[in-house]
């Protein structure tokens, strides 16, 4: 359901069942599909979420099944992504909608989680061990919801093939800046026909000329912040 709108529990459950039916074909095994459904309900119901709390909420005796779902189970994650994007735009579609791009960080302990390094994250307001991802949100008059995501892999990861291989990162993954990740997500959305008139983002994205060029190609409006110390070149024309 769209974030920020109050929904009655019975209606929420019915809509969740409809969404789960929509993505059912993306799971090759019924056990995986059922566990994914319990995982989704746990994400919605619990104030604090991890595999332990979600497993307990689902009635499991340990978190191994939920961890297996996220790390090793075979299901079509890209297909689920497409289904979710289509579900959101079908229900919230608005020709005046805004695609909002922003990153957020998850604090982590240790160094084994993919993408983790000491870096600034707004979650803590300081430099911490964190995993950072870039998200794309669809915002229209009827509500808003996230429709895409990309994990930010720092050079400390992409420059260490052994570390990536040990963590299960595909060998062909290359370093991309956060604006480059955002550009790819926006391109996917617009090429898929997502109805939107504007793109919005903070100065991390406003400072990237390649992102602005991409938006010009798609002829979509944008409001991207820039730093207060940004220099804007001007051309003075002499009178003749």
């Amino acid at each position: 359901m769209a974030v920020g709108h109050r929904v009655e529990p019975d209606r929420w459950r019915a809509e969740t069942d409809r969404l789960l039916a929509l993505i059912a074909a993306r799971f090759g095994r019924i056990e995986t599909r059922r566990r994914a459904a319990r995982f989704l309900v746990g994400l919605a119901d619990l104030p604090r979420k991890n595999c332990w709390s979600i497993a307990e909420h689902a009635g499991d005796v340990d978190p191994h099944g939920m961890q297996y779902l996220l790390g090793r189970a075979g299901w079509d994650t890209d297909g689920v992504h497409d289904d979710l994007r289509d579900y959101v735009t079908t229900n919230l579609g608005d020709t005046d909608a805004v695609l909002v791009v922003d990153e957020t960080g998850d604090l982590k302990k240790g160094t084994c989680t993919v993408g983790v390094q000491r870096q600034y994250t707004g979650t803590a307001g300081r430099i911490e061990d964190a995993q950072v991802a870039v998200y794309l949100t669809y915002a229209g008059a009827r509500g808003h919801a996230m429709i895409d995501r990309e994990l930010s892999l720092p050079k400390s990861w992409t420059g260490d093939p052994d570390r990536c291989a040990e963590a299960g990162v595909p060998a062909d993954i290359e370093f991309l800046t956060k604006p480059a990740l955002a550009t790819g997500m926006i391109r996917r959305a617009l090429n898929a026909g997502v109805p939107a008139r504007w793109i919005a983002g903070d100065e991390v994205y406003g400072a990237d000329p390649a992102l602005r060029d991409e938006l010009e190609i798609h002829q979509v409006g944008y409001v991207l912040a820039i730093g207060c110390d940004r220099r804007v070149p001007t051309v003075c024309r002499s009178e003749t």
Side-chain angles (χ1 to χ4, degrees), residues 54-69:
I54 293 174
E56 184 179 39
H57 183 272
D60 296 342
V61 297
D62 57 51
H64 299 158
M66 295 301 178
Q67 292 170 342
Y68 181 82
L69 170 70

